[in-house]
Amino acid sequence: MLQIETRGRVRIWTIDRPEARNAVHPLLARALYEAALAFDLDDTVDVAVLTGAGGTFCAGFDLKAAATGAGVEWLDSLTLSEDWVDPVARPRPGPMGPTRLMLSKPVIAAIEGHAVAGGLELALWCDMRVVARDAILGVFCRRWGVPLIDGGTVRLPKIVGQGRANDMILTGRGVRSDEGAIMGLVDRITDPGKALEIAVGLAEGLTRFPQGCMRADFLSARMTPPALAAALRREWDSAGMVMAEGVAGATRFAKGEGRGGRFD
């Protein structure tokens, strides 16, 4: 489900559900969340790499789970209370796992295949993205009426700018690595099958710097924790108004309407 490996001072997380294109269900979301918290507290590692097994990064939240009582129960349990004001001091899981966290150490995404819907949101949660030349990133949940609830509406405009974020969010189209690099969504392009290797090499390079200074600059360059918390709460509240539409779309997907690219 989630493979965890340590190479020197680099922690590697591999989402391992290739039969479901590495879609995240509630148990996997919890495992990712706990792995992220453990990494941030572990003094023996400095950088993490998130990737997916079987040539795919992540197809998003498991819509078959979302169509069941278990998936709905997990989402209901994640309601943001008013006292949740700091993703550092008061960490909470997101539907995809770690997406409401602000870690003190960098995480690099190694992307092969598809990083779509919630999988795109996981990639956006990461601090850099190393992407295979033939990979595709996109808000594919658009076609099912499933809203972005893992920081996608918060982080995507910050990374690519409002206009390009509007394009991706409104159309749900796939973005390939070359266009993603022009947008600023993709930081490194690699040959297919090499994303993890290049991402780990990049991570190892980061471990050689004085860590205190690097992390201080890293923190200063990002949104403040209260600002991030407020933006995530706004996204969650907005999504809550259309969640029934998302559950209906997930049900259609679970019944097989997504096979072969059909979703009408």
Side-chain angles (χ1 to χ4, degrees), residues 152-240:
T153 66
V154 176
R155 296 184 177 103
L156 185 60
K158 292 284 186 184
I159 293 170
V160 304
Q162 190 65 58
R164 285 169 168 153
N166 290 347
D167 183 350
M168 292 184 68
I169 289 170
L170 291 173
T171 69
R173 69 182 180 87
V175 171
R176 295 190 177 274
S177 60
D178 53 353
E179 184 183 4
I182 294 170
M183 288 182 172
L185 181 60
V186 171
D187 298 296
R188 303 283 192 280
I189 297 177
T190 76
D191 290 334
K194 296 291 186 180
L196 179 58
E197 176 186 336
I198 299 302
V200 170
L202 176 58
E204 289 172 341
L206 299 187
T207 68
R208 301 187 184 106
F209 295 126
Q211 293 298 299
C213 177
M214 185 184 78
R215 293 177 196 172
D217 287 348
F218 174 54
L219 175 62
S220 181
R222 292 181 291 168
M223 296 176 70
T224 64
L228 176 61
L232 291 173
R233 183 184 289 112
R234 178 174 180 266
E235 177 185 72
W236 183 257
D237 289 344
S238 175

Side-chain angles (χ1 to χ4, degrees), residues 59 115-121 124 136-149 152-153 156 164-175 185:
V116 297
L120 173 64
E121 293 183 286
L124 294 170
I136 297 175
L137 300 87
V139 186
F140 280 20
C141 49
R142 178 60 54 241
R143 63 192 63 180
W144 301 109
V146 176
L148 295 170
I149 50 178
T153 66
L156 185 60
R164 285 169 168 153
N166 290 347
D167 183 350
M168 292 184 68
I169 289 170
L170 291 173
T171 69
R173 69 182 180 87
V175 171
L185 181 60

Side-chain angles (χ1 to χ4, degrees), residues 22 31 73 88 118-119 168 180 210 226 239 250 260:
N22 296 328
E73 182 180 347
V88 176
M168 292 184 68

